[in-house]
Amino acid sequence: MELEFTVNGREYVQDVPPDTRLIDFLREDLNLTSVKEGCGVGECGSCTVLVDGKSILSCLTYMPEIDGKEVLTLEGITDGDELHPLQQAFIDTGGVQCGFCTPGFIMVALELLNENPDPTRDEIRKWIEGNICRCTGYRKIVDAIELAARWMREGQEAVEA
Amino acid sequence: MLKNVTEYHIPGSLDEALSLQDRESRSYFIAGGTGLALSNSNRPVELIDLGKLHLDELHLEDESGKLEIGATTKIQQLVELDELQDFAGGYLANNLEKVGSYPIRNAGTLGGSIVRPFPWSDVVPILLSLGAKIRYFDGTHGVRDLNNLYSDDFRETLRNSIVTGIEVDLPEVGETRGRFYKFSRSEFDIASLNLGCTLTALNGKITRARMAVGARPSFARRLTEVEDFLQGQSLENDLAEEATEMAADTAGVTGDRKMSKDYRLAQVRKMTEEALTGVIGDFLEQ
Protein backbone atom coordinates (compact mmCIF):
# COMPACT_ATOMS: atom_id res chain seq x y z
CA MET A 1 0.00 0.00 0.00
CA GLU A 2 1.17 3.53 -0.73
CA LEU A 3 2.24 5.49 2.32
CA GLU A 4 3.50 9.04 2.87
CA PHE A 5 5.79 9.72 5.79
CA THR A 6 8.95 11.51 6.83
CA VAL A 7 12.13 9.89 8.15
CA ASN A 8 14.83 12.13 9.62
CA GLY A 9 13.40 15.12 7.80
CA ARG A 10 13.19 13.48 4.39
CA GLU A 11 9.77 12.85 2.85
CA TYR A 12 8.93 9.48 1.36
CA VAL A 13 6.04 8.26 -0.77
CA GLN A 14 6.53 4.54 -0.74
CA ASP A 15 4.67 1.40 -1.71
CA VAL A 16 5.12 -0.95 1.23
CA PRO A 17 3.65 -4.40 1.98
CA PRO A 18 1.21 -3.91 4.90
CA ASP A 19 2.93 -6.42 7.17
CA THR A 20 6.27 -4.63 7.00
CA ARG A 21 7.49 -3.67 10.44
CA LEU A 22 8.88 -0.18 10.87
CA ILE A 23 12.19 -1.60 12.15
CA ASP A 24 12.62 -3.71 9.01
CA PHE A 25 11.87 -0.81 6.69
CA LEU A 26 14.29 1.49 8.52
CA ARG A 27 17.12 -1.03 8.62
CA GLU A 28 16.70 -2.83 5.31
CA ASP A 29 15.23 -0.22 2.98
CA LEU A 30 16.81 2.95 4.39
CA ASN A 31 19.95 1.37 5.91
CA LEU A 32 19.34 3.16 9.22
CA THR A 33 21.11 0.51 11.27
CA SER A 34 21.12 2.42 14.57
CA VAL A 35 17.69 0.86 15.03
CA LYS A 36 18.50 -2.46 16.68
CA GLU A 37 16.36 -5.56 17.05
CA GLY A 38 16.94 -7.07 20.47
CA CYS A 39 13.93 -9.01 21.69
CA GLY A 40 11.46 -8.25 18.87
CA VAL A 41 8.51 -8.31 21.28
CA GLY A 42 8.66 -4.93 23.02
CA GLU A 43 10.66 -5.82 26.09
CA CYS A 44 14.17 -4.42 25.52
CA GLY A 45 13.77 -0.93 23.99
CA SER A 46 16.67 -1.32 21.55
CA CYS A 47 14.47 -0.46 18.56
CA THR A 48 13.09 2.78 20.05
CA VAL A 49 12.53 5.63 17.58
CA LEU A 50 10.47 8.81 17.86
CA VAL A 51 7.23 9.11 15.88
CA ASP A 52 5.79 12.62 15.97
CA GLY A 53 8.08 13.26 18.93
CA LYS A 54 6.93 10.28 21.00
CA SER A 55 9.07 7.22 21.64
CA ILE A 56 7.66 4.02 20.21
CA LEU A 57 9.02 0.54 19.64
CA SER A 58 9.63 0.04 15.93
CA CYS A 59 9.54 -3.75 16.30
CA LEU A 60 5.86 -3.50 17.33
CA THR A 61 4.81 -1.03 14.64
CA TYR A 62 3.45 -1.85 11.20
CA MET A 63 4.38 0.61 8.45
CA PRO A 64 0.76 1.65 7.74
CA GLU A 65 0.60 2.97 11.31
CA ILE A 66 3.14 5.68 10.46
CA ASP A 67 1.30 6.97 7.39
CA GLY A 68 1.38 10.77 7.56
CA LYS A 69 3.80 10.82 10.50
CA GLU A 70 7.39 11.90 11.17
CA VAL A 71 9.95 9.31 12.22
CA LEU A 72 13.23 10.24 13.87
CA THR A 73 16.10 7.79 14.37
CA LEU A 74 19.52 8.30 15.93
CA GLU A 75 20.94 9.12 12.48
CA GLY A 76 18.61 12.12 12.36
CA ILE A 77 19.69 13.83 15.56
CA THR A 78 23.27 14.75 14.60
CA ASP A 79 24.06 18.18 13.24
CA GLY A 80 26.42 17.51 10.35
CA ASP A 81 29.59 16.02 11.80
CA GLU A 82 28.79 17.28 15.28
CA LEU A 83 27.40 14.77 17.72
CA HIS A 84 24.22 15.50 19.62
CA PRO A 85 24.89 16.35 23.30
CA LEU A 86 23.32 13.02 24.29
CA GLN A 87 25.72 11.10 22.05
CA GLN A 88 28.74 13.03 23.36
CA ALA A 89 27.60 12.60 26.96
CA PHE A 90 27.29 8.81 26.55
CA ILE A 91 30.89 8.75 25.28
CA ASP A 92 32.25 11.08 27.99
CA THR A 93 30.63 9.27 30.91
CA GLY A 94 31.34 5.73 29.70
CA GLY A 95 27.62 5.11 29.18
CA VAL A 96 28.48 2.96 26.16
CA GLN A 97 30.06 -0.48 26.36
CA CYS A 98 28.98 -2.89 23.63
CA GLY A 99 26.74 -0.12 22.25
CA PHE A 100 23.85 -2.31 21.09
CA CYS A 101 21.29 -0.71 23.39
CA THR A 102 22.68 2.84 23.16
CA PRO A 103 20.58 4.18 20.24
CA GLY A 104 17.40 3.13 22.02
CA PHE A 105 18.49 4.79 25.26
CA ILE A 106 19.41 8.00 23.43
CA MET A 107 16.10 8.19 21.60
CA VAL A 108 14.01 7.65 24.72
CA ALA A 109 16.23 10.14 26.59
CA LEU A 110 15.74 12.67 23.80
CA GLU A 111 11.98 12.46 24.32
CA LEU A 112 12.51 12.98 28.05
CA LEU A 113 14.74 16.04 27.61
CA ASN A 114 12.36 17.54 25.06
CA GLU A 115 9.57 17.30 27.63
CA ASN A 116 11.57 17.93 30.80
CA PRO A 117 14.89 19.75 30.32
CA ASP A 118 15.91 19.37 33.98
CA PRO A 119 14.95 15.86 35.14
CA THR A 120 16.02 14.40 38.48
CA ARG A 121 17.98 11.14 38.54
CA ASP A 122 14.80 9.35 39.70
CA GLU A 123 12.85 10.82 36.80
CA ILE A 124 15.58 9.65 34.41
CA ARG A 125 15.54 6.13 35.89
CA LYS A 126 11.75 6.01 35.61
CA TRP A 127 11.81 7.19 31.99
CA ILE A 128 14.36 4.62 30.82
CA GLU A 129 12.81 1.68 32.67
CA GLY A 130 11.72 0.05 29.39
CA ASN A 131 15.26 -0.05 27.99
CA ILE A 132 17.59 -2.87 28.92
CA CYS A 133 21.39 -2.71 29.03
CA ARG A 134 23.30 -5.90 29.81
CA CYS A 135 26.71 -4.21 30.16
CA THR A 136 26.80 -0.97 32.12
CA GLY A 137 24.50 -1.41 35.10
CA TYR A 138 22.64 1.83 34.18
CA ARG A 139 24.48 4.21 36.53
CA LYS A 140 26.64 5.68 33.77
CA ILE A 141 23.66 5.86 31.44
CA VAL A 142 21.83 7.98 34.01
CA ASP A 143 25.03 10.05 34.39
CA ALA A 144 25.10 10.55 30.62
CA ILE A 145 21.50 11.74 30.40
CA GLU A 146 22.02 14.05 33.38
CA LEU A 147 25.15 15.51 31.75
CA ALA A 148 23.46 15.95 28.38
CA ALA A 149 20.54 17.67 30.07
CA ARG A 150 22.96 20.16 31.68
CA TRP A 151 24.75 20.80 28.39
CA MET A 152 21.48 21.30 26.55
CA ARG A 153 20.20 23.72 29.21
CA GLU A 154 23.49 25.65 29.12
CA GLY A 155 23.39 25.71 25.32
CA GLN A 156 19.85 27.02 25.38
CA GLU A 157 20.79 29.68 27.94
CA ALA A 158 23.75 30.71 25.78
CA VAL A 159 21.47 31.01 22.75
CA GLU A 160 18.96 33.06 24.73
CA ALA A 161 21.73 35.33 26.12
CA MET B 1 3.95 -9.96 14.80
CA LEU B 2 1.47 -11.27 12.27
CA LYS B 3 3.62 -12.14 9.29
CA ASN B 4 1.06 -12.54 6.52
CA VAL B 5 -1.13 -9.43 6.44
CA THR B 6 -2.87 -9.57 3.08
CA GLU B 7 -4.95 -6.39 3.46
CA TYR B 8 -4.69 -3.33 5.69
CA HIS B 9 -7.98 -1.43 5.80
CA ILE B 10 -8.38 2.10 7.10
CA PRO B 11 -12.15 2.56 7.45
CA GLY B 12 -13.72 5.98 7.78
CA SER B 13 -16.71 4.98 9.89
CA LEU B 14 -17.75 2.44 12.51
CA ASP B 15 -20.23 0.89 10.07
CA GLU B 16 -17.49 0.43 7.49
CA ALA B 17 -15.10 -1.00 10.11
CA LEU B 18 -17.71 -3.51 11.23
CA SER B 19 -18.55 -4.53 7.67
CA LEU B 20 -14.88 -5.28 7.01
CA GLN B 21 -14.75 -7.80 9.83
CA ASP B 22 -15.15 -11.24 8.33
CA ARG B 23 -16.99 -14.12 9.91
CA GLU B 24 -14.11 -16.54 9.76
CA SER B 25 -12.01 -14.48 12.15
CA ARG B 26 -9.32 -13.76 9.63
CA SER B 27 -9.54 -10.05 10.41
CA TYR B 28 -8.33 -8.13 13.44
CA PHE B 29 -8.89 -4.60 14.60
CA ILE B 30 -5.72 -2.67 15.25
CA ALA B 31 -5.23 0.62 17.10
CA GLY B 32 -1.92 0.74 19.00
CA GLY B 33 -0.66 -2.63 17.78
CA THR B 34 1.08 -3.64 21.03
CA GLY B 35 -1.29 -6.54 21.68
CA LEU B 36 -1.26 -7.92 18.15
CA ALA B 37 2.52 -7.72 18.20
CA LEU B 38 2.55 -10.73 20.48
CA SER B 39 0.62 -12.79 17.93
CA ASN B 40 2.99 -15.01 16.05
CA SER B 41 1.11 -16.45 13.12
CA ASN B 42 1.83 -17.08 9.47
CA ARG B 43 -1.79 -17.54 8.41
CA PRO B 44 -3.20 -14.85 6.12
CA VAL B 45 -5.06 -12.11 7.99
CA GLU B 46 -6.53 -8.70 7.32
CA LEU B 47 -6.05 -5.75 9.66
CA ILE B 48 -8.67 -3.05 10.21
CA ASP B 49 -7.06 0.13 11.55
CA LEU B 50 -9.36 2.03 13.92
CA GLY B 51 -6.95 4.95 14.19
CA LYS B 52 -8.84 7.30 11.86
CA LEU B 53 -12.24 6.92 13.55
CA HIS B 54 -11.65 9.71 16.09
CA LEU B 55 -12.27 7.41 19.02
CA ASP B 56 -9.73 9.26 21.18
CA GLU B 57 -11.94 11.89 22.76
CA LEU B 58 -12.35 12.46 26.48
CA HIS B 59 -15.37 13.94 28.18
CA LEU B 60 -15.54 14.63 31.91
CA GLU B 61 -18.59 16.13 33.57
CA ASP B 62 -17.28 17.86 36.68
CA GLU B 63 -20.70 18.06 38.32
CA SER B 64 -21.74 14.43 38.00
CA GLY B 65 -18.30 12.81 38.00
CA LYS B 66 -19.10 10.98 34.76
CA LEU B 67 -16.06 10.22 32.62
CA GLU B 68 -16.08 8.99 29.02
CA ILE B 69 -12.86 8.05 27.23
CA GLY B 70 -12.54 6.92 23.61
CA ALA B 71 -11.10 3.49 22.94
CA THR B 72 -8.12 4.57 20.85
CA THR B 73 -6.82 6.97 23.50
CA LYS B 74 -3.21 6.10 24.27
CA ILE B 75 -2.40 5.04 27.83
CA GLN B 76 0.26 7.76 28.15
CA GLN B 77 -2.26 10.41 27.09
CA LEU B 78 -4.40 9.39 30.05
CA VAL B 79 -1.39 9.67 32.36
CA GLU B 80 -0.73 13.23 31.19
CA LEU B 81 -4.19 14.71 30.59
CA ASP B 82 -4.83 17.66 32.91
CA GLU B 83 -8.51 16.74 33.21
CA LEU B 84 -7.65 13.40 34.83
CA GLN B 85 -5.15 14.56 37.43
CA ASP B 86 -7.88 15.09 40.04
CA PHE B 87 -10.37 12.47 38.86
CA ALA B 88 -10.97 10.04 41.76
CA GLY B 89 -8.11 11.74 43.57
CA GLY B 90 -5.78 11.07 40.62
CA TYR B 91 -6.38 7.30 40.83
CA LEU B 92 -6.63 6.70 37.08
CA ALA B 93 -3.80 8.96 35.88
CA ASN B 94 -1.34 8.04 38.64
CA ASN B 95 -1.80 4.30 38.36
CA LEU B 96 -1.85 3.99 34.57
CA GLU B 97 1.73 5.25 34.82
CA LYS B 98 2.58 1.81 36.22
CA VAL B 99 1.63 0.16 32.91
CA GLY B 100 4.64 -0.92 30.82
CA SER B 101 7.22 1.64 29.71
CA TYR B 102 6.90 5.03 28.02
CA PRO B 103 7.15 3.61 24.48
CA ILE B 104 4.56 0.95 25.31
CA ARG B 105 2.20 3.53 26.84
CA ASN B 106 2.75 5.85 23.85
CA ALA B 107 1.45 3.12 21.53
CA GLY B 108 -0.93 1.02 23.63
CA THR B 109 -4.59 2.06 23.75
CA LEU B 110 -7.34 1.80 26.31
CA GLY B 111 -9.56 -0.22 23.96
CA GLY B 112 -6.78 -2.61 23.08
CA SER B 113 -6.24 -3.32 26.76
CA ILE B 114 -9.91 -4.24 27.08
CA VAL B 115 -10.38 -6.42 24.03
CA ARG B 116 -7.06 -8.23 24.43
CA PRO B 117 -7.07 -8.47 28.21
CA PHE B 118 -3.89 -10.25 29.11
CA PRO B 119 -4.33 -11.83 32.55
CA TRP B 120 -1.45 -9.71 33.88
CA SER B 121 -2.89 -6.45 32.53
CA ASP B 122 -2.71 -3.53 34.94
CA VAL B 123 -5.23 -1.51 32.93
CA VAL B 124 -8.12 -3.95 33.47
CA PRO B 125 -8.04 -4.10 37.30
CA ILE B 126 -7.60 -0.30 37.42
CA LEU B 127 -10.74 0.10 35.30
CA LEU B 128 -12.63 -2.61 37.20
CA SER B 129 -11.81 -0.95 40.51
CA LEU B 130 -13.42 2.22 39.19
CA GLY B 131 -16.54 0.26 38.22
CA ALA B 132 -15.99 1.06 34.53
CA LYS B 133 -18.40 0.15 31.75
CA ILE B 134 -17.51 -0.33 28.11
CA ARG B 135 -19.19 1.38 25.19
CA TYR B 136 -19.47 -0.71 22.07
CA PHE B 137 -20.89 -0.61 18.57
CA ASP B 138 -22.46 -3.66 16.94
CA GLY B 139 -24.62 -1.79 14.44
CA THR B 140 -26.13 0.17 17.28
CA HIS B 141 -24.38 1.78 20.24
CA GLY B 142 -24.52 0.03 23.59
CA VAL B 143 -23.04 0.03 27.09
CA ARG B 144 -22.03 -2.99 29.12
CA ASP B 145 -20.51 -3.50 32.55
CA LEU B 146 -16.83 -4.38 32.20
CA ASN B 147 -16.96 -6.96 34.98
CA ASN B 148 -19.88 -8.76 33.33
CA LEU B 149 -17.97 -8.77 30.07
CA TYR B 150 -15.17 -10.79 31.60
CA SER B 151 -17.60 -13.04 33.44
CA ASP B 152 -18.96 -14.15 30.06
CA ASP B 153 -17.07 -15.46 27.05
CA PHE B 154 -15.83 -12.01 26.10
CA ARG B 155 -14.18 -13.11 22.86
CA GLU B 156 -17.52 -14.40 21.59
CA THR B 157 -19.36 -11.37 22.97
CA LEU B 158 -17.01 -8.97 21.20
CA ARG B 159 -16.75 -10.95 17.98
CA ASN B 160 -19.18 -8.77 16.01
CA SER B 161 -18.70 -5.49 17.79
CA ILE B 162 -16.18 -2.69 18.24
CA VAL B 163 -15.32 -1.33 21.67
CA THR B 164 -15.60 2.45 21.25
CA GLY B 165 -14.71 3.59 24.75
CA ILE B 166 -15.28 3.36 28.48
CA GLU B 167 -17.53 5.13 30.95
CA VAL B 168 -16.93 5.65 34.62
CA ASP B 169 -19.78 6.97 36.76
CA LEU B 170 -18.56 8.10 40.14
CA PRO B 171 -21.29 8.85 42.69
CA GLU B 172 -22.44 12.44 42.34
CA VAL B 173 -21.99 13.10 46.06
CA GLY B 174 -19.04 12.20 48.21
CA GLU B 175 -15.37 11.93 47.33
CA THR B 176 -13.59 8.99 45.72
CA ARG B 177 -10.05 7.89 46.53
CA GLY B 178 -8.16 4.73 45.66
CA ARG B 179 -5.00 2.66 45.81
CA PHE B 180 -3.51 0.28 43.25
CA TYR B 181 -0.70 -2.17 43.93
CA LYS B 182 1.33 -4.20 41.49
CA PHE B 183 3.71 -7.02 42.40
CA SER B 184 6.36 -7.56 39.72
CA ARG B 185 10.11 -8.06 39.41
CA SER B 186 10.50 -4.46 38.26
CA GLU B 187 8.12 -1.56 37.63
CA PHE B 188 8.26 -2.28 33.91
CA ASP B 189 7.74 -6.02 34.19
CA ILE B 190 4.32 -7.65 33.91
CA ALA B 191 2.45 -8.18 37.15
CA SER B 192 2.53 -11.42 39.11
CA LEU B 193 -0.42 -10.00 41.02
CA ASN B 194 -2.18 -6.64 41.07
CA LEU B 195 -5.02 -5.21 43.11
CA GLY B 196 -6.96 -1.97 42.95
CA CYS B 197 -9.53 -0.46 45.28
CA THR B 198 -11.56 2.74 45.27
CA LEU B 199 -13.85 3.95 48.03
CA THR B 200 -16.38 6.76 47.84
CA ALA B 201 -17.22 8.30 51.20
CA LEU B 202 -19.72 10.82 52.49
CA ASN B 203 -20.04 12.04 56.08
CA GLY B 204 -17.67 9.35 57.38
CA LYS B 205 -19.41 6.42 55.68
CA ILE B 206 -18.45 4.39 52.65
CA THR B 207 -21.15 4.85 50.02
CA ARG B 208 -19.47 2.85 47.26
CA ALA B 209 -16.59 0.36 47.16
CA ARG B 210 -14.95 -1.19 44.12
CA MET B 211 -12.12 -3.70 44.39
CA ALA B 212 -10.49 -5.84 41.71
CA VAL B 213 -7.62 -8.29 41.59
CA GLY B 214 -5.69 -9.32 38.48
CA ALA B 215 -2.92 -11.73 37.47
CA ARG B 216 -4.51 -14.31 39.78
CA PRO B 217 -2.87 -15.61 37.43
CA SER B 218 -6.09 -15.76 35.39
CA PHE B 219 -8.13 -12.74 34.24
CA ALA B 220 -8.89 -9.89 36.61
CA ARG B 221 -12.17 -9.94 38.49
CA ARG B 222 -14.02 -7.70 40.91
CA LEU B 223 -14.34 -8.82 44.52
CA THR B 224 -18.02 -8.06 44.88
CA GLU B 225 -18.37 -9.77 48.28
CA VAL B 226 -15.75 -7.43 49.73
CA GLU B 227 -17.41 -4.46 48.05
CA ASP B 228 -20.80 -5.38 49.56
CA PHE B 229 -19.20 -5.77 53.00
CA LEU B 230 -17.53 -2.34 52.81
CA GLN B 231 -20.49 -0.37 51.51
CA GLY B 232 -22.37 1.35 54.33
CA GLN B 233 -19.57 0.91 56.86
CA SER B 234 -18.02 3.77 58.81
CA LEU B 235 -14.50 4.80 57.83
CA GLU B 236 -12.47 2.99 60.46
CA ASN B 237 -9.12 1.28 60.15
CA ASP B 238 -10.31 -2.01 61.69
CA LEU B 239 -12.46 -2.61 58.61
CA ALA B 240 -9.33 -3.74 56.81
CA GLU B 241 -8.82 -6.87 58.91
CA GLU B 242 -12.15 -8.49 58.07
CA ALA B 243 -12.07 -7.35 54.46
CA THR B 244 -8.58 -8.78 54.05
CA GLU B 245 -9.65 -12.33 54.88
CA MET B 246 -12.73 -11.96 52.72
CA ALA B 247 -10.56 -10.83 49.79
CA ALA B 248 -8.26 -13.82 50.21
CA ASP B 249 -11.25 -16.20 50.36
CA THR B 250 -12.90 -14.83 47.22
CA ALA B 251 -9.99 -13.76 44.97
CA GLY B 252 -9.80 -17.20 43.38
CA VAL B 253 -6.03 -17.18 43.11
CA THR B 254 -3.97 -20.18 42.08
CA GLY B 255 -0.26 -20.88 41.78
CA ASP B 256 1.95 -20.75 38.72
CA ARG B 257 5.67 -20.66 37.96
CA LYS B 258 5.91 -17.06 39.17
CA MET B 259 4.23 -17.44 42.53
CA SER B 260 2.76 -20.23 44.61
CA LYS B 261 -0.88 -20.10 45.61
CA ASP B 262 0.06 -19.49 49.26
CA TYR B 263 2.37 -16.64 48.37
CA ARG B 264 -0.24 -15.08 46.09
CA LEU B 265 -2.82 -15.32 48.89
CA ALA B 266 -0.40 -13.63 51.28
CA GLN B 267 0.05 -10.85 48.73
CA VAL B 268 -3.73 -10.45 48.30
CA ARG B 269 -4.03 -10.02 52.07
CA LYS B 270 -1.18 -7.51 52.20
CA MET B 271 -2.39 -5.48 49.20
CA THR B 272 -5.98 -5.42 50.49
CA GLU B 273 -4.91 -4.28 53.95
CA GLU B 274 -2.59 -1.59 52.58
CA ALA B 275 -5.17 -0.40 50.06
CA LEU B 276 -7.94 -0.07 52.62
CA THR B 277 -5.85 1.44 55.41
CA GLY B 278 -4.31 3.81 52.86
CA VAL B 279 -7.60 5.02 51.42
CA ILE B 280 -9.33 5.21 54.82
CA GLY B 281 -6.29 7.09 56.13
CA ASP B 282 -6.63 9.59 53.27
CA PHE B 283 -10.23 10.26 54.24
CA LEU B 284 -9.55 10.47 57.97
CA GLU B 285 -6.71 12.97 57.42
CA GLN B 286 -9.04 15.37 55.61
Side-chain angles (χ1 to χ4, degrees), chain B residues 142-162:
Chain B
V143 177
R144 188 180 172 122
D145 188 273
L146 184 61
N147 197 44
N148 291 345
L149 178 75
Y150 295 134
S151 304
D152 300 335
D153 181 353
F154 68 90
R155 288 191 178 85
E156 189 56 39
T157 304
L158 293 175
R159 188 172 300 282
N160 295 308
S161 59
I162 298 170

Side-chain angles (χ1 to χ4, degrees), chain B residues 52-94:
Chain B
K52 300 277 198 274
L53 297 180
H54 307 294
L55 297 175
D56 58 353
E57 293 178 352
L58 178 139
H59 183 65
L60 174 61
E61 290 175 17
D62 285 336
E63 295 298 312
S64 66
K66 182 172 183 175
L67 172 69
E68 299 172 1
I69 307 173
T72 60
T73 309
K74 309 287 187 191
I75 302 297
Q76 184 62 23
Q77 283 180 277
L78 298 174
V79 172
E80 294 174 0
L81 275 168
D82 288 340
E83 296 94 318
L84 290 184
Q85 300 310 309
D86 294 325
F87 181 76
Y91 180 75
L92 187 61
N94 292 341

Side-chain angles (χ1 to χ4, degrees), chain A residues 125-145:
Chain A
R125 284 192 201 98
K126 173 76 180 160
W127 202 280
I128 62 173
E129 69 190 1
N131 290 64
I132 293 173
C133 171
R134 297 288 79 154
C135 304
T136 66
Y138 302 101
R139 182 174 172 174
K140 291 181 176 180
I141 291 173
V142 176
D143 290 345
I145 297 169

Side-chain angles (χ1 to χ4, degrees), chain A residues 1 3 17-21 40-45 48 54-62 64-65 67 69 108 111 115 123 126-132, chain B residues 1-10 30-34 36-38 47 49 52 74 76 80 97-107 186-188:
Chain A
M1 62 191 296
L3 306 173
D19 50 6
T20 307
R21 300 181 308 167
V41 290
E43 291 183 0
C44 75
T48 304
K54 295 288 185 184
S55 60
I56 59 108
L57 300 171
S58 58
C59 75
L60 301 186
T61 307
Y62 287 114
E65 294 179 83
D67 189 32
K69 296 182 178 172
V108 81
E111 182 195 22
E115 296 194 10
E123 286 170 335
K126 173 76 180 160
W127 202 280
I128 62 173
E129 69 190 1
N131 290 64
I132 293 173
Chain B
M1 297 284 276
L2 299 165
K3 299 182 181 72
N4 194 358
V5 179
T6 55
E7 291 286 341
Y8 193 98
H9 305 283
I10 305 177
I30 182 169
T34 53
L36 277 182
L38 300 180
L47 295 181
D49 191 333
K52 300 277 198 274
K74 309 287 187 191
Q76 184 62 23
E80 294 174 0
E97 196 171 14
K98 296 171 183 167
V99 176
S101 61
Y102 274 90
I104 294 283
R105 292 196 297 274
N106 279 336
S186 68
E187 282 195 43
F188 166 56

